[in-house]
Amino acid sequence: MPDEKTFHMTPDQFRQHGHAVVDWIADYYSRIESYPVLSRVEPGQIRSSLPAQPPAKGEPFDAILGDIEKLILPGVTHWQSPNFFAFFPANASGPAILGDLLSSGLGVQGMLWATSPACTELETHVLDWLVEMLGLPQNFLSTSKGGGVIQDTASSASLCALLTARERTTNFASNKRGCDGKLVVYTSSQAHSSIEKDVQIAGLGLDNLRLIEVDENFAMRPDALARQIEQDRRSGLVPCFVCATIGTTSSNAIDPLPEIGRVCRENNLWFHVDAAMSGTAALCPEFRHTHNGVELADSYTFNPHKWMFTNFDCNCFYVADRKALIQTLSILPEYLRNKATESGAVIDYRDWQIPLGRRFRALKLWFVIRHYGIEGLQYHVRRHIELAQQFAGWVKNDARFELAAPAPLNLVCFRHKGGDEVNQKLMDRLNRSGDLYLTHTRLNGRFTLRFCVGQTNTMERHVERAWKNIQDEAI
């Protein structure tokens, strides 16, 4: 009887094609600087190059991989280019990519401890490592009342924190009856837009979000926060949640956590700290001053996928009291019941996040930490900050330009003194050149260029060339 055709890729075929993919990725990194950083395709161009109908029969793998080069690569903006200075980095690295490959190969669904104990226990252990590595409060350790979990992004982490704050404030009644329109949330006018989305998703309503004014350095003003809380209380509203930021999106401003934390304690509000990219700086003891006051936080989050060489997505979220988080998010249908869960001796991370399912993200983070070690990670953080500070010095010494905000770490906000139109055209010319990629923000209503140094392979020569291009294109 002839062998049944399964259509699957055999182990030998997988080995052959897998080698080809790894070789392609390695070659891509070796030639990445030859591509324009920002993709030049027009809207719809990639889709119009693809077949209108799916293939009726399977195609050779060589043809599929060939189309990556021919059809897909032109539409890629090269986030891993050392000339990528836009937004914040989403930096990858060799060990992270290989860890992610192994995670995909294992195909683990880690919703419960029982569905793969290693998935849960490695995650718990690595998150505890990071408490020590970043100098975070001991109450974020799994051996305390709190603990850490890997989320996809800071947006999800902040949503989990907000939902927990909502339930704690209402004595866990909102999950049953819904919101009554009285709960109020506070964050800086410079905070990430995800807080606005989280408020909508959590059912609190944008009318109950207060964007607190900032000081001359674009950091939240604790006195303005305290006044707004008191005003809302007098109006019959119920203050609930405060989000402070270590490294705002626009300017990398660092909110005064000790003062904000004290306001939260005095008013019994949930205090959440979003460290996004800048949390990684705390790997270096000399930059841990950015985290002063985080010991007052009920929750804290940062993104290794932004500046710790762990490819997207990988966010670390900590709570000082895991019981409140679990009580907020836990639902236990019969089909998820098992002896390990009922014993109370294990962590089921499905209760720490919005979705039920979860990938084995801890593998790539584990690979990164073991490959680089604390020493290697600190080296690159320090080097990136040094390069950014060097760039800021060049800006200050050029009479045509000015710094638009303090540059405490690796983000430099600057502008040409010629005004908004000049800066817009300057950025457009630079991005069209393909030699680098910058993005912008508005600070005090003025168009401002952002130069973020954090891509894995960015070196001094890349920053020097970027500054030369900026100078050459400037009027």
Side-chain angles (χ1 to χ4, degrees), residues 94-110:
I97 294 168
L98 294 175
D100 220 16
L101 175 62
L102 275 171
S103 175
S104 296
L106 290 171
V108 163
Q109 213 286 35

Side-chain angles (χ1 to χ4, degrees), residues 1 12 44 66 93 101 104 116 176 219 255 273 307-308 317 323 367 387 398 408 417 466:
M1 185 174 179
D12 284 342
S93 66
L101 175 62
S104 296
S116 270
K176 293 181 179 180
D255 290 338
V273 176
W307 195 19
M308 211 175 109
F317 174 53
K323 182 180 178 181
F367 273 39
L387 291 173
D398 190 314
K417 294 178 181 178

